[in-house]
């Protein structure tokens, strides 16, 4: 039997042969002492690429975000973020570990309305929480991999500076955002006080993320990372794979974008799916399953029986993600399977789509 076409996430990617070789040969040291040469090299390289002073290697994107929030904020602070933010929905409210609360604002298509953000910033008061941080996400996962532009970043940065607030960017897929807009990743990081990105998504490394900012912030973040148990030792074995990811896996993300577009164009006309092609900007295809008399879970199970795996965001919102290992032929086959499964539902007469 053929292996399934796995479009659940770009996190399912496996390390390449070159990464496995690099892992085997990696020079290592104790990174809690700052003595792992491969980690140090990775941190310097990533900081240079994003135009930040210093980087701090992390086991996961979730820990990068958590450490950023705990380092920027004090107990009792409120964090302003979009109401579809990964930090809000998919990181088990880790910010509560620091006594922080979330202040969601309408997310738009991945970039919140700055008037709503400004209105959510609290004036100093004896009674209310202090606004401690503004968070953005680029690309925006739950909004379908949409990008935030350098101009939007500049406007958000200006608001944050005016309001004396740090700005953290969850840039798990920042190279997808940069590539899609034809700009250097540093242009998307310039206005951020801190930014994180992941090696283990489209870049295909087995694990790892990095948090970047100025020296004083990263020194404090290093203590926070230790506090939450993220101080790793001979972790150059992972940094070695991440170095290969940066050298060899960034430019090829364009293929994933082209494949996502192809898939989206095939799925958009199908009855029972609602898909806005304007949101397909990188490697994520987000859509709604609108057939009233079949649950999204049952629909996904039918796709799975025919060898296509996708995932659910929430309710009827589903998602397919392209990545290394998904070729054009897989995309065409997946689109055929969608068509066949939806065809069996005899739409639109037997089952009216939900609107
Ligand atoms: C936007 C975004 N931020 C953060 C993360 C967290 O990364 P990790 O799963 O490595 O903790 C993800 C993971 O999918 C993500 O999509």
């Amino acid at each position: 039997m053929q292996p399934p076409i796995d479009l659940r996430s770009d996190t399912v990617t496996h390390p390449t042969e070159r990464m496995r070789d690099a892992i085997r040969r990696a020079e290592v040291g104790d990174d809690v002492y700052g003595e792992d040469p491969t980690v140090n090299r990775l941190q310097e390289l990533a900081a240079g690429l994003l135009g930040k002073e210093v980087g701090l290697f992390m086991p996961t994107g979730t820990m990068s975000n958590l450490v950023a929030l705990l380092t920027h904020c004090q107990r009792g602070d409120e964090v302003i973020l979009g109401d579809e933010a990964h930090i809000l929905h998919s990181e088990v409210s880790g910010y509560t570990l620091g006594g922080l609360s979330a202040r969601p604002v309408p997310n738009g298509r991945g970039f919140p309305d700055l008037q709503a953000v400004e209105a959510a910033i609290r004036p100093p008061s004896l009674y209310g929480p202090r606004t401690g941080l503004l968070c953005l996400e680029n690309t925006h996962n739950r909004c379908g991999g949409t990008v935030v532009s350098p101009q939007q970043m500049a406007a958000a940065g200006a608001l944050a500076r005016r309001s004396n607030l740090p700005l953290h960017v969850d840039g798990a897929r920042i190279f997808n955002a940069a590539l899609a807009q034809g700009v250097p990743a540093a242009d998307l990081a310039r206005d951020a006080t801190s930014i994180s990105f992941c090696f283990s998504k489209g870049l295909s490394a087995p694990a790892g993320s990095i948090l970047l900012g100025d020296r004083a912030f990263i020194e404090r973040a290093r203590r926070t990372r230790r506090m939450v148990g993220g101080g790793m030792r001979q972790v150059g074995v992972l940094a070695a794979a991440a170095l290969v990811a940066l050298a060899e896996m960034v430019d090829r993300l364009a293929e994933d974008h082209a494949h996502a577009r192809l898939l989206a164009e095939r799925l958009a006309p199908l009855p029972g799916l609602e898909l806005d092609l304007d949101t397909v900007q990188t490697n994520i295809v987000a859509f709604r399953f609108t057939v009233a008399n079949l649950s999204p879970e049952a629909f996904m199970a039918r796709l799975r029986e025919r060898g296509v795996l996708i995932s659910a965001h929430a309710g009827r919102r589903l998602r397919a993600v392209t990545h290394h290992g998904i070729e054009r032929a897989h995309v065409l086959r997946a689109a055929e399977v969608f068509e066949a499964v939806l065809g069996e539902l005899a739409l639109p007469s037997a089952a009216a789509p939900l609107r």
Side-chain angles (χ1 to χ4, degrees), residues 21-321:
D21 287 346
I23 288 169
R24 196 164 40 76
R25 291 194 316 269
E27 252 192 285
V28 297
D30 189 329
D31 182 49
V32 172
Y33 295 165
E35 291 175 1
D36 188 302
T38 312
V39 171
N40 290 342
R41 206 145 41 91
L42 176 69
Q43 290 174 165
E44 271 170 40
L45 183 74
L49 277 175
L50 275 279
K52 292 290 177 216
E53 237 169 56
V54 191
L56 188 63
F57 192 47
M58 296 278 182
T60 64
T62 300
M63 191 181 282
S64 283
N65 285 332
L66 176 62
V67 167
L69 268 60
L70 297 184
T71 305
H72 283 302
C73 297
Q74 299 165 16
R75 194 171 182 80
D77 281 0
E78 198 168 64
V79 177
I80 299 178
L81 34 57
D83 59 5
E84 292 288 344
H86 195 273
I87 291 173
L88 189 65
H89 291 278
S90 304
E91 300 181 12
V92 205
S93 304
Y95 50 82
T96 59
L97 297 172
L100 310 180
S101 56
R103 179 80 182 270
V105 295
N107 214 118
R109 276 199 175 170
F111 183 71
D113 172 17
L114 290 184
Q115 279 182 353
V117 171
E118 190 155 16
I121 298 173
R122 295 179 187 263
S125 122
L126 179 61
Y127 306 103
R130 191 185 78 125
T131 303
L133 178 67
L134 169 61
C135 284
L136 296 173
E137 189 174 315
N138 196 10
T139 66
H140 202 291
N141 184 342
R142 288 168 67 95
C143 292
T146 47
V147 302
V148 177
S149 69
Q151 294 73 22
Q152 288 171 318
M153 279 303 306
L159 172 59
R161 284 188 295 275
R162 224 172 36 241
S163 313
N164 236 344
L165 275 185
L167 167 59
H168 172 68
V169 174
D170 173 356
R173 297 180 179 82
I174 198 68
F175 292 106
N176 295 86
L179 207 77
Q181 300 179 85
V183 298
D187 285 9
L188 302 172
R190 186 167 300 119
D191 289 279
T193 320
S194 61
I195 183 164
S196 53
F197 72 83
C198 291
F199 299 105
S200 60
K201 300 194 163 65
L203 301 187
S204 305
S209 165
I210 196 158
L211 177 64
L212 302 141
D214 71 19
R215 197 167 299 281
F217 170 76
I218 292 294
E219 262 171 36
R220 289 187 289 125
R222 186 180 289 280
R223 279 178 59 76
T224 315
R225 182 185 70 173
R226 178 74 180 155
M227 181 173 79
V228 297
M232 298 182 286
R233 303 293 180 173
Q234 288 71 29
V235 74
V237 290
L238 289 181
L243 280 165
V244 175
L246 284 182
E248 299 181 0
M249 304 301 280
V250 172
D251 290 344
R252 66 148 307 285
L253 294 172
E255 270 174 53
D256 300 342
H257 297 183
H259 288 155
R261 168 98 337 224
L262 175 64
L263 180 65
E265 281 168 359
R266 297 287 165 117
L267 299 191
L270 299 181
L273 303 183
E274 201 175 86
L275 193 161
D276 179 354
L277 283 170
D278 289 345
T279 64
V280 185
Q281 300 173 1
T282 56
N283 68 328
I284 300 179
V285 181
F287 51 95
R288 267 168 52 81
F289 177 65
T290 59
V291 180
N293 59 0
L294 192 71
S295 72
E297 293 73 26
F299 176 57
M300 287 197 291
R302 290 191 190 191
L303 294 173
R304 178 182 281 266
E305 278 163 22
R306 293 176 185 226
V308 174
L309 309 184
I310 61 167
S311 58
H313 269 315
R316 293 191 160 265
R317 290 164 55 197
L318 304 181
R319 175 185 93 156
V321 185

